[in-house]
């Protein structure tokens, strides 16, 4: 073989080796790219799983944290309109305030079998309803599922009490969970004794049936 032919043979081998090297490098790059994409996907999945576990742990803590709050809320807001219980508590508070007997404790007229009042508008014709628990109740605006039962307490002039006694009774009412809000107060000095007063109170008892 002449030196010229040997040169071309070697040149061809070098070209083939170069092409093979380029092809190998390309295949290696493609393989590395695929592995890189797979690692990115696995890392993203791992991060998402960790986030879910973190959120789950937080939710469990929140459930434990607010469990007592939910219990307290149920304790503060009565679940029923137990009128007998409400009257007993009001009478007890009156006696604690040195009022031996109240003239009257009354509730709204029952509309059993009719829809409850909705704010200032009331249906003049009773409309049948299956939920008799809502009779005498007024829906509280802006708080879904909470209703207002208005209770009227009267102390007539014949049973008038000292003003300080009335104030003590008022304070006791506002500290009681069923009678926590007094929405209307009317106080009238006794014509027989100016040191004594008669009064009418309207109390809002909030209920979440």
């Amino acid at each position: 073989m002449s030196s010229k032919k040997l040169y071309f043979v070697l040149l061809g081998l070098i070209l083939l080796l170069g092409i093979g090297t380029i092809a190998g490098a390309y295949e290696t790059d493609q393989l590395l790219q695929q592995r890189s994409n797979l690692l990115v996907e696995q890392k993203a999945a791992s991060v998402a799983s960790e986030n879910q576990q973190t959120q789950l742990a937080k939710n469990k803590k929140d459930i434990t944290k607010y469990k007592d709050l939910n219990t307290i809320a149920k304790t503060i807001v009565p679940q029923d309109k137990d009128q007998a219980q409400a009257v007993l508590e009001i009478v007890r508070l009156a006696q604690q305030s040195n009022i031996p007997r109240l003239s009257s404790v009354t509730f709204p007229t029952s509309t059993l079998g009719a829809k409850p009042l909705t704010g200032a508008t009331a249906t003049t014709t009773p409309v049948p309803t299956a939920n008799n628990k809502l009779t005498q109740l007024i829906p509280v605006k802006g708080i879904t599922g909470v209703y207002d039962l208005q209770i009227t307490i009267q102390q007539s002039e014949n049973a008038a009490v000292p003003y300080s006694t009335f104030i003590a009774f008022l304070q006791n009412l506002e500290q009681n969970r069923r009678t926590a809000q007094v929405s209307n107060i009317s106080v009238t000095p006794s014509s027989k004794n100016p040191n004594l007063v008669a009064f009418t109170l309207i109390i809002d008892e909030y209920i979440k049936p």
Side-chain angles (χ1 to χ4, degrees), residues 25-95:
Y26 176 77
E27 291 294 333
T28 303
D29 181 69
Q30 291 296 313
L31 180 60
L32 290 175
Q33 186 66 35
Q34 291 176 359
R35 292 298 179 90
S36 176
N37 292 338
L38 181 61
L39 288 174
V40 170
E41 291 177 358
Q42 291 178 343
K43 185 174 182 180
S46 177
V47 171
S49 177
E50 290 178 359
N51 289 339
Q52 289 179 348
Q53 291 178 358
T54 301
Q55 186 62 40
L56 180 61
K58 182 179 181 299
N59 291 341
K60 288 181 178 179
K61 288 182 180 179
D62 288 344
I63 290 173
T64 303
K65 177 180 178 180
Y66 294 110
K67 181 179 179 181
D68 293 340
L69 181 61
N70 184 51
T71 302
I72 292 172
K74 288 183 177 180
T75 303
I76 293 175
V77 181
Q79 307 292 296
D80 57 73
K81 55 169 186 173
D82 190 338
Q83 296 182 3
Q85 182 62 34
V87 171
L88 284 174
E89 291 187 20
I90 291 171
V91 170
R92 176 179 59 81
L93 295 174
Q95 291 174 347

Side-chain angles (χ1 to χ4, degrees), residues 110-123:
S110 175
T111 55
L112 193 62
K115 285 185 176 180
L117 299 179
T118 55
T121 60
T123 54

